[in-house]
Amino acid sequence: MLKLNCDIGESFGIWKLGEDEKIMPLIDMANIACGFHASDPLNMTKTILLAKRFNVEIGAHPSYQDLVGFGRRSIPYSKDELKAIILYQIGALRAIANANGVDISYIKPHGALYNDMMKSLDIFMAINEAIYSYDKKLSLMILSTSKNSEFERISKVKLIFEAFADRAYSSDGFLVARSKKGSVIKDKNKVIKRVRDLVKRGVIYDINNKELKLKVDSLCVHGDNEEALSLVKVIKDVLDEI
Amino acid sequence: MLKLNCDIGESFGIWKLGEDEKIMPLIDMANIACGFHASDPLNMTKTILLAKRFNVEIGAHPSYQDLVGFGRRSIPYSKDELKAIILYQIGALRAIANANGVDISYIKPHGALYNDMMKSLDIFMAINEAIYSYDKKLSLMILSTSKNSEFERISKVKLIFEAFADRAYSSDGFLVARSKKGSVIKDKNKVIKRVRDLVKRGVIYDINNKELKLKVDSLCVHGDNEEALSLVKVIKDVLDEI
Amino acid sequence: MLKLNCDIGESFGIWKLGEDEKIMPLIDMANIACGFHASDPLNMTKTILLAKRFNVEIGAHPSYQDLVGFGRRSIPYSKDELKAIILYQIGALRAIANANGVDISYIKPHGALYNDMMKSLDIFMAINEAIYSYDKKLSLMILSTSKNSEFERISKVKLIFEAFADRAYSSDGFLVARSKKGSVIKDKNKVIKRVRDLVKRGVIYDINNKELKLKVDSLCVHGDNEEALSLVKVIKDVLDEI
Amino acid sequence: MLKLNCDIGESFGIWKLGEDEKIMPLIDMANIACGFHASDPLNMTKTILLAKRFNVEIGAHPSYQDLVGFGRRSIPYSKDELKAIILYQIGALRAIANANGVDISYIKPHGALYNDMMKSLDIFMAINEAIYSYDKKLSLMILSTSKNSEFERISKVKLIFEAFADRAYSSDGFLVARSKKGSVIKDKNKVIKRVRDLVKRGVIYDINNKELKLKVDSLCVHGDNEEALSLVKVIKDVLDEI
């Protein structure tokens, strides 16, 4: 079964972001911000309780330390420092989860850290080793690409491969950069067709309409606004009907 | 046996504070800063490794969030927010400890949070409940005062009572405020005599030279400079000879 | 003429707060956040440009340093530190203003700093002296109360007295605390009547319906949502008709 | 006359860095940290007063926003954001200076921002335009290299060219990277000889012992420790004797 995952809990102090209350009932996995790109201890608590209420699997969503940049800027860290900030954030979220009777089961890096992880094996391994040294049972969620088997070969922890139904893929099985034309698929019907193709036949069509065979465990959806929410509802219906 | 505890790991980024390398071999319990009043994930890692090397018991040293004020300013938090920041910091430190093969065993609040905890039962209970909800086996270190039994009666977790050999006590068994004359005892011989009185006969003399009978599990020492270090060495000798 | 002032530019990073684009055309004075309770250099630039577009007078809106608490928590600062954070924020905003061809003309402290200033003459004088030492031509906006003349007597800089049309006043001419029943007046017609009373006859009715004679230079309005905006439009009509 | 400049005021909160009290009397220009890589409003005030006491020219030393990384990590900013953070920091320092009866006269970017400015004309121009839009009379201090005339041609503000007597230069007139062997010249006598060559004959010898003819207005010195201080004293003697 293809699980739906969503970045969530990205409010900060009094500032609200995303329709967390509305998207939480629709998803299977909640990637919860840990205070470095968004959120704070109190918002993390609220998000944990919301995930608990809807019985949603909890993942830590750690980031480079950059609130004002929302973790979207690539910041160079030493390997030791990178491992340390990953552990710090995972542990912080887990303590809040445990104190509220639930636990985390996976890690999905955020923003620039996520992108850098997909481009640099050093960064991938730093994150990987941080998790493995801490708790071998935690999984790491990464982007499903043509390099899945390569990542699996070197990974010390279980990998969860995620795909995006609303993003165009290049022929080498990576996402087309957001800055390029056609990178984001806005036509709802096309997105739904892509979900069907992925679930029923395990394929994604690249930007040249060639088939990509990618292992996908989870689909990343968004809860930013009403339009995004209505798309998730349709995707959920597609998954349920299958 | 009276254990020596010390606030440690209070460097931040490139800024150094305290003679951590020199004090760690002399103490039994390390109260390690968690990034809210001092330290950062990389410095926390280094401090954990240092504690591990000298087989020192590890405690989390959480604080109000106030780097520029070093956690010394009293900031009003709601109960939920206070619990959340405590859990956040404990969990962050614990993950770094666990990933390096060690664990934390107790919590000692820092600075203004420590002082407020001793004055406000609401704050004491918020910290207490945060710890209890997270891990019943963790202890909470507080100041040994004439109210020890009262605190023990309401506490959900095991309490560790600490005393200061270099601080004057008022007749009601609390510390004389630092702003008052005679609050800090600088005469080394007097400090050593106080340690002896405490260890051999379980008493502390208050500022009027009256005996206070206080339960004391641990003595708080400092590693800020060479003078402080040499005092700790003498205190250690006193404890060893007994 | 009674000027309308509004706290504005309180977004932070990607997080939006308030309907700045809609409220700016309606007000006379913009109290612009300076990065300590809200905003950041880029958002400050955008807000300055918006104020410039609508020819709105610009005030600095400095705060205690507390993003996660939105400057609403009272934090104890030494007098020197308080003066320093006020100057830091004023100067930061002014440089951005000047680089964009405009200038600031007054200061209105934010949140807990504003409340503390009204309660503590030490804090009032610290802010006052900071401004005076920097630029004697800048004014300080404070709450109009029964103590206006007392504040005027000790102030080194020109004071601007502001009132709230939607807040109840106690008999001693201070605002009724938000936590008390009836402190916020939600009935639009009542608010408008209060504006009329204030503008035409210079009086505010206190919570016991007794007349208060207060000097008022400016009325504080809010741009948080559509309802707030529609109230400001009506207030503006009332002011225009007079 | 060759002026000595030094990065200064880089303490933060209770954390001390550098021998500011000892180096200030020896230098001509103080590059004062503005709170983004080091310092805070109160430390900025103290540093301003120290510069004032010794009649030292004051420059703003702005940085990327990165306290924990001490501004040494290259963080990508948009041009607008970069201009905004430069103005924010300059203005903050200037207000504190003005309130204490002095003023700033130049800007020297810090750390990664300085290095990026020397490598990227976009970043150089962003800084340049920020300063020019704010106050045409402020100068910008950059590294003296073989590209001085190129920088001067495009600069909108006056440039101050600085050199390092204790750093090796490559044949193209840039600094040899710190990571490379021989990049830092530790032999005091060699450093002094280089100062003499520079002051008397206007030349620096590159790493291959070839003469570089560079325009140099100021020499950057360091006040980190006693050794650095004693070197500065000798350099000052050399300059005085000439």
Side-chain angles (χ1 to χ4, degrees), chain A residues 13-188:
Chain A
I14 64 152
W15 292 278
K16 289 266 166 223
L17 195 76
E19 298 287 339
D20 288 8
E21 303 261 338
K22 290 179 183 165
I23 189 80
M24 194 67 92
L26 303 176
I27 60 174
D28 305 292
M29 308 174 86
N31 319 317
I32 299 181
C34 301
F36 272 41
H37 76 282
S39 203
D40 54 77
L42 189 58
N43 270 308
M44 288 162 72
T45 307
K46 287 176 187 167
T47 313
I48 287 285
L49 289 173
L50 190 64
K52 184 185 180 184
R53 174 141 65 98
F54 292 103
N55 210 19
V56 171
E57 203 175 334
I58 296 166
H61 195 42
S63 167
Y64 294 136
Q65 188 160 23
D66 182 18
L67 274 175
V68 76
F70 199 63
R72 286 181 176 160
R73 299 186 290 205
S74 189
I75 302 176
Y77 282 79
S78 72
K79 185 169 187 179
D80 282 346
E81 201 170 3
L82 189 52
K83 289 164 91 162
I85 63 162
I86 299 290
L87 289 168
Y88 188 96
Q89 294 176 77
I90 296 176
L93 184 71
R94 181 172 238 180
I96 293 174
N98 291 355
N100 288 289
V102 289
D103 200 2
I104 64 169
S105 62
Y106 69 98
I107 319 300
K108 175 179 168 180
H110 168 83
L113 177 57
Y114 182 93
N115 294 336
D116 291 347
M117 169 185 76
M118 295 308 302
K119 277 184 252 164
S120 153
L121 285 186
D122 284 348
I123 291 176
F124 173 79
M125 285 315 294
I127 298 170
N128 210 294
E129 287 165 21
I131 300 171
Y132 184 79
S133 66
Y134 170 54
D135 183 348
K136 295 165 186 50
K137 283 181 218 120
L138 295 173
S139 305
L140 172 60
M141 185 182 283
I142 70 170
L143 182 65
S144 179
T145 68
S146 53
K147 299 209 169 160
N148 286 349
S149 55
E150 191 175 321
F151 278 114
E152 265 185 329
R153 201 163 46 241
I154 58 173
S155 180
K156 299 184 160 197
V157 296
K158 185 171 172 292
L159 296 177
I160 301 170
F161 295 105
E162 70 161 348
F164 292 78
D166 58 349
R167 290 290 300 276
Y169 282 72
S170 60
S171 57
D172 58 354
F174 278 79
L175 293 183
V176 174
R178 268 182 191 279
S179 53
K180 299 233 167 113
K181 216 189 132 186
S183 62
V184 177
I185 298 158
K186 284 175 184 162
D187 180 335
K188 216 176 194 176

Side-chain angles (χ1 to χ4, degrees), chain B residues 165-202:
Chain B
D166 58 348
R167 289 292 298 277
Y169 282 72
S170 59
S171 58
D172 58 353
F174 277 79
L175 293 182
V176 174
R178 268 182 191 278
S179 54
K180 298 232 168 114
K181 215 189 133 186
S183 63
V184 178
I185 299 159
K186 285 175 184 161
D187 181 334
K188 218 177 191 175
N189 291 325
K190 281 194 186 156
V191 174
I192 292 161
K193 190 184 171 310
R194 290 172 75 80
V195 174
R196 264 185 230 281
D197 290 339
L198 184 59
V199 178
K200 291 207 171 165
R201 300 169 35 233

Side-chain angles (χ1 to χ4, degrees), chain C residues 34-36 40-42 44-45 65 78 80-81 84-85 87-96 98-100 130 133-134, chain D residues 34-36 40-42 44-45 65 78 80-81 84-85 87-96 98-100 130 133-134:
Chain C
C34 302
F36 272 41
D40 55 77
L42 189 57
M44 287 161 72
T45 307
Q65 189 159 24
S78 72
D80 282 346
E81 201 170 1
I85 64 164
L87 289 169
Y88 188 96
Q89 293 175 75
I90 296 176
L93 184 72
R94 181 172 237 178
I96 293 174
N98 290 355
N100 288 288
S133 66
Y134 171 54
Chain D
C34 303
F36 272 42
D40 55 77
L42 188 58
M44 287 161 71
T45 306
Q65 188 160 23
S78 72
D80 283 346
E81 202 170 1
I85 65 163
L87 289 168
Y88 188 97
Q89 293 176 77
I90 297 176
L93 185 72
R94 180 171 240 180
I96 293 173
N98 290 355
N100 289 289
S133 65
Y134 170 55

Side-chain angles (χ1 to χ4, degrees), chain C residues 20-66:
Chain C
D20 288 8
E21 303 261 340
K22 290 178 184 166
I23 190 79
M24 193 67 93
L26 303 175
I27 60 175
D28 305 292
M29 307 172 86
N31 319 317
I32 299 182
C34 302
F36 272 41
H37 77 281
S39 202
D40 55 77
L42 189 57
N43 270 307
M44 287 161 72
T45 307
K46 288 175 187 167
T47 313
I48 287 286
L49 290 173
L50 191 63
K52 182 184 182 183
R53 175 142 63 96
F54 293 102
N55 209 20
V56 171
E57 203 176 334
I58 295 166
H61 195 41
S63 166
Y64 294 136
Q65 189 159 24
D66 182 18

Side-chain angles (χ1 to χ4, degrees), chain D residues 143-148 169-175 206 212 214:
Chain D
L143 182 66
S144 178
T145 69
S146 53
K147 300 209 168 159
N148 286 351
Y169 282 72
S170 59
S171 58
D172 58 354
F174 278 80
L175 292 182
D206 74 15
L212 290 167
L214 296 179

Side-chain angles (χ1 to χ4, degrees), chain A residues 34 41 44 84 87-88 91-92 95 99 133, chain B residues 34 41 44-45 84 87-88 91-92 95 99 133:
Chain A
C34 301
M44 288 162 72
L87 289 168
Y88 188 96
S133 66
Chain B
C34 302
M44 287 162 71
T45 306
L87 290 168
Y88 188 96
S133 67

